[in-house]
Amino acid sequence: MAKLVVLTEGLKGRSYDLVTVLTTIGRVEDNAFQLAESSVSSHHCEIFLRGNEILVKDLNSTNGTYINGQAVSESVLQPGQILRLGQVEMRLDGDGAPPPAAAKKSEQTMILPQGAKRGVKMDQLEPGTKTGTFTKDSPFSKKSNKGTKIFVIVAIVVFVAIIAAVIFAFTRISSQ
């Protein structure tokens, strides 16, 4: 069985058995493997068991994810290699990834083109690999800055009108 063994002083001796398909590592409690150390991001990286491979994916951490001193965004971790998250080092022990536990059907996400119809059960749906895209009419589409642009233009016009009125008033007072 593959496991991560922490080598850094203060956390030395801690280990985590990699037994699930996905393991999250980070500073906060909702991670599978919590490392309460300030150089570790709240959600630092994910470890995927993919066949006989162990894949490490950085989650845009502040202090980076490194394998044997090389910065990685996504890379395979081999037994004996050193994984560093911020200032915390750990070694992968064991002989690679075990076969991952089978995922339950209810844990899979499916995108349905027209939504689920009433009376259709989950096991009757076909699993798909289609990724979701958001159209212009979607509530999740990028919003335009049209209102902000109009506000800025109106504010500039009003500002210029006020400046022009002040200059006109001064020139009128000066000429009298």
Side-chain angles (χ1 to χ4, degrees):
M1 173 188 325
K3 70 177 175 178
L4 292 170
V5 178
V6 180
L7 306 173
T8 302
E9 288 299 324
L11 299 170
K12 202 170 198 173
R14 289 193 59 197
S15 66
Y16 186 84
D17 294 330
L18 298 173
V19 293
T20 59
V21 174
L22 172 65
T23 300
T24 57
I25 303 175
R27 190 178 63 243
V28 294
E29 293 176 2
D30 66 350
N31 290 287
F33 187 23
Q34 181 187 10
L35 294 170
E37 208 282 329
S38 61
S39 67
V40 175
S41 291
S42 55
H43 297 97
H44 201 100
C45 71
E46 294 175 328
I47 308 248
F48 296 94
L49 302 183
R50 187 176 64 187
N52 289 330
E53 291 183 327
I54 297 174
L55 183 70
V56 177
K57 180 180 179 188
D58 184 73
L59 297 175
N60 296 320
S61 61
T62 302
N63 294 315
T65 300
Y66 299 82
I67 295 178
N68 287 347
Q70 294 283 0
V72 296
S73 58
E74 190 171 310
S75 184
V76 174
L77 180 65
Q78 302 290 333
Q81 289 185 319
I82 304 296
L83 174 65
R84 180 167 52 93
L85 310 178
Q87 299 300 315
V88 177
E89 288 190 339
M90 57 192 89
R91 180 183 60 242
L92 178 64
D93 284 350
D95 16 333
K104 297 177 187 172
K105 276 238 185 231
S106 62
E107 293 176 358
Q108 295 176 349
T109 301
M110 290 186 221
I111 297 175
L112 304 174
Q114 286 132 8
K117 299 207 178 8
R118 202 166 238 261
V120 176
K121 295 182 180 167
M122 281 297 288
D123 59 346
Q124 295 172 324
L125 299 174
E126 293 182 28
T129 57
K130 181 180 176 186
T131 58
T133 55
F134 298 117
T135 64
K136 189 173 185 176
D137 299 332
S138 168
F140 300 106
S141 64
K142 184 177 178 183
K143 303 298 180 202
S144 74
N145 292 343
K146 189 175 181 181
T148 304
K149 289 178 184 174
I150 292 172
F151 176 77
V152 169
I153 291 170
V154 169
I156 290 171
V157 168
V158 169
F159 180 74
V160 168
I162 291 171
I163 297 296
V166 168
I167 292 172
F168 179 74
F170 277 126
T171 55
R172 185 138 188 169
I173 291 172
S174 300
S175 64
Q176 289 180 355

